[in-house]
Amino acid sequence: MSSTPIAARHKGFNRAEIVDQNFIEFVQQWQGEVRPTPRDSEAVLPGSALDARGFRELLESQLISRHLDLMARVLRVQNKVFYTIGSSGHEGNAMVARLARHTDPAFLHYRSGGFMAERFRKLPGMDPVMDSALSFAASKDDPASGGRHKVWGSKPLWVLPQTSTIASHLPKALGTAIAIEQARRIGHPLPVPHDSIAICSFGDASSNHATAQTAFNAAAWTAYQKLPAPVLFVCEDNGIGISVKTPGGWVANNFRHRPDLDYFFADGLDLAEGYAQVQRAVEHCRQTRRPTFLHLKTTRIMGHAGTDFEIEWRSIEELVSVEASDPLLRSAAIALESGVYDKEALLALNEALRKRCFMAAEEADRRPRLERLDDVMAPLAPYTPDKVKAEAERTDYQDRRITVFGSEDKLPEKQPPRHLAIQINQALHEVMAKYPETLLFGEDVAQKGGVYTVTKGLHKTFKGSRVFNTLLDETVILGLAQGYANMGMLPLPEIQYLAYFHNACDQIRGEAASLQFFSNDQYRNPLVMRVAALGYQRGFGGHFHNDNSIAALRDIPGLVVGCPSRGDDAATMLRTMLALAKVDGRVCAYLEPIALYMTKDLYEAGDGQWQFTYPAPGEAMPLGEGRVYGEGADDLVVFTFGNGVPMALRSARTIEQELGWKVRVVDLRWLAPLNDAFIAAQAKTARRILVLDEGRKSAGVGEGIITAVVEAGLGGTPLERVVGADTYTPLAGAAFLVLPGDAEVVAAARKLAARH
């Protein structure tokens, strides 16, 4: 390896310039022995598995990646480029791209310029330079994200866009691998070949992240049971995470002997040496269908990003040493030693690619950027109401429906009124009959039928290939859901309690709900997440089983959140949510109020007034549509949802008797997006307004209701809010000290009456 004289002499030089010049000087000063030029099909060096043609193309991909990095550093200061986390030192990942197929779904580390440049070769007519330049420039013409972020992504190349992920993409990569195999078991046609593998790359620092560890554990847990999970985990080990060094040997010692996670090492700094090593890992994963860990040795050249001035925290001697390990210097040596290139030809190639990258960047800078909010948000939450309505009301599956329920006489709409849990169960049977690609899974949902028996009988009806238990890990559950969705299925994951969702929130916030946005609606991962939720459980609970943290869901852009309070609404809402997922690719959260699961009565014991007739096929609840009790009653309008609905109805009877008011109760049903127009229309005729929100005072749904009222110009209407306390929910009877109840609702009405 050549020395780097410029770096040694000039501590204060721009390190990108030094790295660039090092390559040029290395080639110019090279004096090694030249072998006869190999033919395309011959090994580039004796003993290498890499032929001359493959080497030339890999070298070109490496140089494209490098010059995109150099271009970004130069043009960022001119505001022509907006992203400088580079791939320099990681260009060996191009070998993974060459040895895999373009139909192997890929979830990539942000240092994947070499991988992408090489993968672009898989299909004719594609241009890695221009496409990448458009992304760097945040151009509206960027084919990956439409200018919303610098992402490595491509719809035709099956690279699902990732932002600056820190391991959060590993669970869905594993989920995609498992989905490839699951499709065969349920007879679902795959959008990729049946022997595809899922590729997932990440850094050595990210391998320590809890989300990464849960993916590795779940992969091994799956393989331990002899179930296929063809995921190729590619750990690109550059020995450092921003400025924190990875202890020497840590990755190898941590992963080399893990049971049921098959370990391979490859030298990503040396194409001639590393190619066969990468090939063994890829072929092993594809043939054995086992989770495979490829430990790819890399380095990091030019710092973490353009704003990382390593010279401020790293010695010049260390920087020089790192720059001397540049994989492009080794590739240059192979090119010259093998006779594939002479000095002049290699320097000419280098300069031609530099010019190509800068020209593409200048062209990208001239292209339009996103300038309207509507354009920015267009792919975030697509909604085609007419198509969703038609899909939700579609009834052409009646034969399957009759088979599932046993006979026409046993159809749920022909049964007596039932409570919430039974009707959710009936609705789940129905949608699984309607959509053969639907899978239901989570903790305890199969043979047991869930903690509250809501999924009882589904496993027996639809068998273990469609209804199954997972390991106890919400992150994996939601990662699996995204994987199934990526492969064209309709997942119904269950999170056992709302509090457990917080363990895995980023799988929805950072991954599932963002995919349409960052892929410009080219990729979708439709899913309906069922969550047993909210408070008021008696004889059981405490914080983890009485959780009202709906704010954590409502804050996620694009997520649909619905909360039925009665059985018939539960069925029609679920039909619409599945239609939203099927038609528009939406991610939905379906909150099931635990305390209302078995509730039969409303006013007095035995009255049966909280049981309802199951809605006939063809009935569905439009997104945003609420339910109004006491239409036309204007003395007091109560806005609420979930457990608040029967509470408000009971309180309304007392208020009407005591104050002589006519009370209207408005069940919002849909909590995100809130239907501001519906709220305003209901508030417009109200003489008084009461907002009943069983969540906490801070950041609850009630704040959104009041905002909608005020923004509609109705802020002068007398208003009271009844909410929970800003505290965690305690155990047993103490829970009802912090949750609002009937008495608090009546007391709030009295306060309103006292104002006049």
Side-chain angles (χ1 to χ4, degrees):
M1 193 68 70
S2 169
S3 64
T4 52
I6 289 180
R9 291 196 303 266
H10 298 286
K11 180 176 179 180
F13 268 35
N14 180 302
R15 306 313 298 181
E17 292 179 7
I18 290 169
V19 169
D20 187 25
Q21 189 62 30
N22 282 346
F23 181 85
I24 295 170
E25 288 192 6
F26 181 92
V27 175
Q28 290 172 337
Q29 296 171 10
W30 191 81
Q31 296 179 352
E33 180 181 348
V34 178
R35 290 185 171 87
T37 303
R39 293 191 294 271
D40 276 1
S41 59
E42 293 178 337
V44 67
L45 290 177
S48 172
L50 181 60
D51 61 34
R53 177 185 174 184
F55 171 76
R56 278 197 302 272
E57 293 181 348
L58 283 169
L59 174 58
E60 182 178 332
S61 294
Q62 288 186 311
L63 287 168
I64 286 172
S65 178
R66 176 61 54 85
H67 283 296
L68 287 170
D69 283 359
L70 294 170
M71 172 274 293
R73 300 293 177 109
V74 172
L75 296 186
R76 175 65 193 95
V77 297
Q78 301 176 32
N79 270 341
K80 295 182 177 181
V81 160
F82 302 93
Y83 192 89
T84 57
I85 294 181
S87 304
S88 296
H90 285 246
E91 292 90 352
N93 56 35
M95 292 186 287
V96 180
R98 186 169 190 85
L99 287 160
R101 304 170 184 163
H102 79 277
T103 49
D104 292 328
F107 306 82
L108 300 180
H109 187 235
Y110 43 65
R111 304 194 192 280
S112 295
F115 182 103
M116 287 300 298
E118 185 63 26
R119 191 146 188 166
F120 268 85
R121 298 183 189 281
K122 301 286 185 177
L123 291 178
M126 301 195 71
D127 183 356
V129 174
M130 193 64 219
D131 281 11
S132 299
L134 290 165
S135 188
F136 276 98
S139 169
K140 191 176 180 179
D141 293 339
D142 165 29
S145 76
R148 288 166 186 82
H149 203 281
K150 159 62 186 67
V151 295
W152 297 119
S154 170
K155 178 65 173 177
L157 294 175
W158 269 100
V159 179
L160 289 81
Q162 304 299 303
T163 58
S164 297
T165 47
I166 307 300
S168 59
H169 57 308
L170 273 71
K172 67 179 182 181
L174 171 63
T176 302
I178 293 173
I180 291 169
E181 295 294 321
Q182 189 87 351
R184 174 178 49 79
R185 292 193 286 272
I186 70 169
H188 174 73
L190 277 172
V192 297
H194 281 271
D195 64 344
S196 296
I197 63 175
I199 300 169
C200 180
S201 60
F202 48 92
D204 49 293
S206 294
S207 73
N208 300 301
H209 198 283
T211 309
Q213 291 294 322
T214 202
F216 302 141
N217 179 70
W221 187 84
T222 304
Y224 180 77
Q225 298 175 87
K226 311 301 181 187
L227 297 172
V231 58
L232 179 67
F233 293 119
V234 183
C235 180
E236 299 185 13
D237 184 359
N238 63 24
I240 197 166
I242 302 184
S243 67
V244 179
K245 294 182 180 178
T246 298
W250 169 250
V251 173
N253 288 329
N254 195 13
F255 290 96
R256 186 166 44 205
H257 302 299
R258 285 202 182 190
D260 294 301
L261 187 60
D262 302 341
Y263 175 90
F264 291 79
F265 173 82
D267 187 352
L269 302 176
D270 188 327
L271 296 181
E273 178 70 21
Y275 192 78
Q277 298 165 335
V278 173
Q279 187 174 38
R280 283 194 290 273
V282 173
E283 290 179 353
H284 173 84
C285 185
R286 194 178 307 281
Q287 292 168 7
T288 66
R289 318 304 287 167
R290 284 175 56 83
T292 304
F293 188 95
L294 173 59
H295 181 194
L296 188 67
K297 181 182 179 181
T298 64
T299 190
R300 194 185 75 193
I301 308 294
M302 301 193 301
H304 175 72
T307 54
D308 179 18
F309 299 104
E310 289 182 295
I311 196 66
E312 295 179 354
W313 56 272
R314 217 170 182 182
S315 72
I316 185 64
E317 292 77 18
E318 186 179 355
L319 281 174
V320 170
S321 176
V322 169
E323 290 161 0
S325 69
D326 186 346
L328 264 64
L329 302 185
R330 175 56 185 152
S331 293
I334 296 170
L336 297 170
E337 182 181 352
S338 66
V340 170
Y341 287 100
D342 60 25
K343 293 182 181 182
E344 290 74 19
L346 184 53
L347 290 172
L349 174 64
N350 185 56
E351 291 308 310
L353 292 175
R354 180 199 308 279
K355 182 178 180 181
R356 182 180 167 192
C357 289
F358 272 87
M359 288 178 63
E362 294 291 349
E363 170 60 24
D365 182 53
R366 292 189 287 269
R367 299 285 188 91
R369 293 193 172 96
L370 293 167
E371 295 179 348
R372 299 188 324 121
L373 178 60
D374 287 349
D375 291 338
V376 171
M377 295 183 64
L380 174 65
Y383 180 41
T384 51
D386 291 345
K387 291 181 180 179
V388 169
K389 182 177 187 295
E391 177 62 29
E393 296 177 355
R394 178 170 62 84
T395 60
D396 58 358
Y397 59 101
Q398 282 301 92
D399 289 346
R400 293 199 302 272
R401 194 167 178 267
I402 291 170
T403 299
V404 162
F405 287 106
S407 70
E408 190 165 355
D409 291 339
K410 294 181 180 179
L411 290 173
E413 64 270 23
K414 296 188 177 183
Q415 307 308 308
R418 302 292 191 189
H419 56 69
L420 179 66
I422 287 179
Q423 293 195 328
I424 291 176
N425 178 274
Q426 292 169 331
L428 289 171
H429 276 85
E430 176 184 282
V431 295
M432 292 196 71
K434 183 174 184 177
Y435 300 105
E437 69 271 31
T438 298
L439 306 173
L440 187 147
F441 51 93
E443 301 161 14
D444 303 300
V445 301
Q447 293 88 343
K448 180 177 173 62
V451 173
Y452 298 98
T453 68
V454 175
T455 58
K456 183 179 180 180
L458 286 161
H459 180 263
K460 182 178 180 180
T461 301
F462 296 102
K463 312 306 178 189
S465 58
R466 292 188 61 197
V467 179
F468 51 91
N469 293 323
T470 66
L471 73 173
L472 199 154
D473 189 330
E474 288 75 25
T475 299
V476 169
I477 291 170
L478 296 179
L480 285 171
Q482 293 173 81
Y484 293 130
N486 289 335
M487 292 295 100
M489 294 172 238
L490 273 177
L492 275 166
E494 178 182 294
I495 301 299
Q496 202 165 78
Y497 291 99
L498 180 56
Y500 298 176
F501 168 73
H502 306 313
N503 301 335
C505 179
D506 191 51
Q507 288 301 301
I508 298 295
R509 177 184 301 279
E511 296 295 334
S514 72
L515 182 61
Q516 282 178 275
F517 182 77
F518 286 120
S519 71
N520 202 15
D521 201 23
Q522 296 176 89
Y523 280 106
R524 296 176 165 187
N525 46 18
L527 62 92
V528 177
M529 175 180 67
R530 295 179 47 248
V531 188
L534 309 182
Y536 299 97
Q537 288 196 80
R538 294 183 180 273
F540 183 59
H543 164 59
F544 281 108
H545 306 102
N546 283 283
D547 190 345
N548 291 298
S549 298
I550 300 170
L553 290 163
R554 292 187 63 242
D555 182 54
I556 299 174
L559 181 67
V560 173
V561 182
C563 181
S565 64
R566 45 189 273 181
D568 53 349
D569 283 357
T572 56
M573 178 181 284
L574 189 62
R575 290 169 182 169
T576 295
M577 282 194 172
L578 266 293
L580 283 164
K582 179 74 173 179
V583 173
D584 290 325
R586 298 297 292 274
V587 180
C588 303
Y590 183 71
L591 305 184
E592 303 171 6
I594 300 169
L596 297 179
Y597 271 150
M598 309 301 175
T599 297
K600 299 178 181 179
D601 306 322
L602 178 58
Y603 298 110
E604 290 89 27
D607 68 16
Q609 290 194 46
W610 211 243
Q611 298 185 104
F612 300 92
T613 303
Y614 191 85
E619 296 181 29
M621 182 196 304
L623 176 63
E625 182 181 89
R627 179 185 285 277
V628 179
Y629 300 82
E631 190 78 59
D634 296 336
D635 292 323
L636 176 67
V637 174
V638 183
F639 290 97
T640 190
F641 63 93
N643 292 295
V645 178
M647 185 187 302
L649 291 170
R650 289 192 301 269
S651 301
R653 174 180 279 190
T654 302
I655 293 166
E656 288 174 347
Q657 292 171 351
E658 180 178 319
L659 299 176
W661 292 350
K662 297 297 184 182
V663 181
R664 187 188 334 153
V665 174
V666 178
D667 180 1
L668 297 171
R669 302 195 293 195
W670 300 95
L671 306 183
L674 274 180
N675 189 340
D676 291 351
F678 170 69
I679 293 170
Q682 292 297 319
K684 187 175 181 180
T685 58
R687 294 188 178 93
R688 304 164 192 86
I689 295 172
L690 196 153
V691 175
L692 172 55
D693 177 0
E694 63 184 275
R696 290 186 278 276
K697 179 180 179 181
S698 300
V701 175
E703 293 182 353
I705 299 168
I706 294 171
T707 299
V709 170
V710 172
E711 289 183 345
L714 302 170
T717 306
L719 183 148
E720 283 289 328
R721 180 161 61 125
V722 178
V723 294
D726 279 341
T727 180
Y728 296 103
T729 306
L731 195 62
F736 296 93
L737 300 175
V738 304
L739 295 170
D742 295 26
E744 285 79 13
V745 177
V746 175
R750 291 179 185 139
K751 284 180 66 176
L752 285 168
R755 294 184 188 180
H756 298 279

